[in-house]
Amino acid sequence: MGKLYVVPTPVGNLEDITARALRILKEASFVLAEDTRTSGNLFKHFGIETKLISYHKFNEHQVVDNLTQRIAAGETVALVSDAGTPAISDPGYLLVKSCIDNGIDVECLPGATAFVPALVNSGLPNDKFCFEGFLPHKKGRQTAIQQLATETHTMIIYESPFRLVKTLQQLAEVMGNDRRASVSREISKIHEETVRGTLAELVDHFTECPPKGEIVMIVEGLNRKLKSKANDDDEDEENN
């Protein structure tokens, strides 16, 4: 029986890849890639000649069974996304689950991911946090934001640069203009930047300076004392 390796790749600086990741990618029977063109550039840079096969959100349901069978038959397969760790807001979960359900060994290598440096750089509490990934674009979006308004842990949200200002505005409308947050973009790349402030301040900044690149938002959780007071006020109203 073969094995599935989940291999993180750099989110920006190519030096962030590990020696072990390079070895696995070179030794694998083949590599599943979210975009073979993007991974092809990475492979060319490091002299990796392993065959690349497309595996993305549009075909994963169709190919997962066949891939599972091939791994079960003895092939060693590596899974990569365009950047970062596969299955974190990228394809990968279905194949990992299928392999586990079929008794196939799965190993995820430690490595690059965008939200950890963004969280640490934010200066917001990071002892406890929740990862939200991308918010719904349309259906369920307002419900999701309303639910996050009472979240007491620091929140991690991925966003497109084209929707960033709108999302900051929507968060401010529900959470209040003074809720602290940070926006990190282009992590580990030449133009890496982290901007910190209140939601209102971030709206003003990115309205004046439209962002480019990959975006990670870090939003302060609701102060536990304020949440407790709000719950007490609700109970008082009910009792009256």
Side-chain angles (χ1 to χ4, degrees):
M1 183 172 289
K3 184 173 183 176
L4 173 65
Y5 286 96
V6 181
V7 182
T9 52
V11 296
N13 194 317
L14 294 181
E15 294 180 356
D16 292 338
I17 198 165
T18 67
R20 183 175 172 219
L22 291 174
R23 177 178 61 80
I24 295 298
L25 293 176
K26 290 178 181 179
E27 295 177 354
S29 304
F30 59 90
V31 175
L32 300 172
E34 183 179 8
D35 187 326
T36 55
R37 295 166 299 181
T38 300
S39 297
N41 292 330
L42 177 73
F43 278 33
K44 182 178 180 180
H45 180 83
F46 288 107
I48 301 170
E49 299 180 354
T50 311
K51 181 180 180 181
L52 285 166
I53 296 177
S54 292
Y55 179 82
H56 46 73
K57 65 180 181 180
F58 301 109
N59 74 349
E60 58 180 339
H61 288 275
Q62 290 75 36
V63 302
V64 66
D65 289 341
N66 177 260
L67 291 172
T68 302
Q69 292 172 10
R70 292 183 63 173
I71 300 171
E75 295 188 85
T76 298
V77 176
L79 170 67
V80 300
S81 58
D82 287 349
T85 301
I88 303 298
S89 292
D90 282 322
Y93 165 74
L94 284 179
L95 182 58
V96 169
K97 183 179 185 302
S98 179
C99 286
I100 292 172
D101 289 346
N102 285 274
I104 297 170
D105 193 13
V106 176
E107 185 171 350
C108 181
L109 277 61
T113 188
F115 75 78
V116 172
L119 175 63
V120 174
N121 281 336
S122 72
L124 294 171
N126 55 30
D127 56 330
K128 294 182 179 180
F129 56 89
C130 63
F131 177 77
E132 295 298 322
F134 287 96
L135 297 176
H137 290 179
K138 295 181 180 179
K139 185 177 181 180
R141 184 178 179 86
Q142 284 302 319
T143 299
I145 292 175
Q146 290 286 348
Q147 292 173 341
L148 291 179
T150 57
E151 173 60 60
T152 57
H153 298 154
T154 300
M155 292 159 272
I156 300 167
I157 301 171
Y158 285 171
E159 191 50 279
S160 157
F162 308 107
R163 288 190 298 270
L164 176 61
V165 171
K166 179 180 178 181
T167 298
L168 290 168
Q169 291 172 333
Q170 291 174 327
L171 292 174
E173 290 172 0
V174 176
M175 299 181 179
N177 287 326
D178 294 333
R179 184 74 70 94
R180 292 187 299 161
S182 78
V183 173
S184 293
R185 67 181 190 88
E186 296 292 84
I187 291 171
S188 84
K189 298 178 183 178
I190 295 175
H191 300 293
E192 178 177 354
E193 176 187 43
T194 294
V195 182
R196 307 170 186 86
T198 65
L199 288 172
E201 290 170 343
L202 292 174
V203 168
D204 290 341
H205 174 82
F206 288 107
T207 298
E208 183 176 344
C209 306
K212 296 180 181 181
E214 301 292 329
I215 300 289
V216 184
M217 302 169 54
I218 308 296
V219 182
E220 178 184 34
L222 179 66
N223 184 288
R224 290 179 175 83
K225 292 182 180 179
L226 292 178
K227 182 176 182 180
S228 177
K229 182 179 183 304
N231 290 338
D232 291 341
D233 291 343
D234 289 341
E235 290 179 3
D236 291 340
E237 290 182 5
E238 291 177 1
N239 293 333
N240 291 333

